[in-house]
Amino acid sequence: MKDNGRKNGTLSPCAACKLLRRRCAPDCVFAPYFPADEPQKFASVHKVFGASNVNKMLQELPEHQRSDAVSSMVYEANARVRDPVYGCVGAISSLQQQIDSLQTQLALAQAEVVHMKMRQVVSTTGSGGTSSTQNLPPTAAAAAAASSKFMPSQSKSFFCMDMVDQPNISESLWSY
């Protein structure tokens, strides 16, 4: 049975008290959030924020918000250890750049789909001798004209999965 870092009725210090080399009191503010079996969690938070500041922050918060606050501190501390200058802002910026890149690739893929549909429509109705966009509805003709700007070559696709930059997904900022 394990309850807040205490095992079988004996007092086992939480990770914070172990690192700080002090006796873990029964009402220790750190014990519920920094169990003894996760010492690296408190070590990174202590390195970035300091034990005294973490203690003050936790005591100023209502108990129902402390768990979320500890999760945020652990995330920020791990990000700050990895990137001392930007911390989690660097991770957010990197993710935003990936979103922008993927949105561009999506727009190109959608334009290519429209272009292919227009070619299919043209090939099925194009034997009449009139311009291929004259037989199309106005919105389809505009889409075909717009897609031809993105896709000048009918044989080569601009959408390529090599453009997708995949970071090391297995490395998480939540764990150190």
Side-chain angles (χ1 to χ4, degrees), residues 26-40:
D27 62 340
C28 176
V29 71
F30 297 120
Y33 313 106
F34 301 104
D37 59 346
E38 297 178 9
Q40 75 286 352

Side-chain angles (χ1 to χ4, degrees), residues 6 11 17 23-32 55 59 66:
R6 286 137 176 89
L11 290 179
C17 292
R23 192 172 142 250
C24 192
D27 62 340
C28 176
V29 71
F30 297 120
N55 187 18
Q59 287 184 348
R66 291 179 183 177

Side-chain angles (χ1 to χ4, degrees), residues 19 34 38-50 54 73-82 173-176:
L19 185 75
F34 301 104
E38 297 178 9
Q40 75 286 352
K41 190 174 172 182
F42 182 75
S44 62
V45 169
H46 173 60
K47 184 176 182 179
V48 173
F49 296 105
V54 174
M73 283 187 273
V74 169
Y75 183 83
E76 174 64 29
N78 288 332
R80 190 64 64 178
V81 166
R82 284 194 178 94
L173 291 174
W174 288 102
S175 62
Y176 184 67

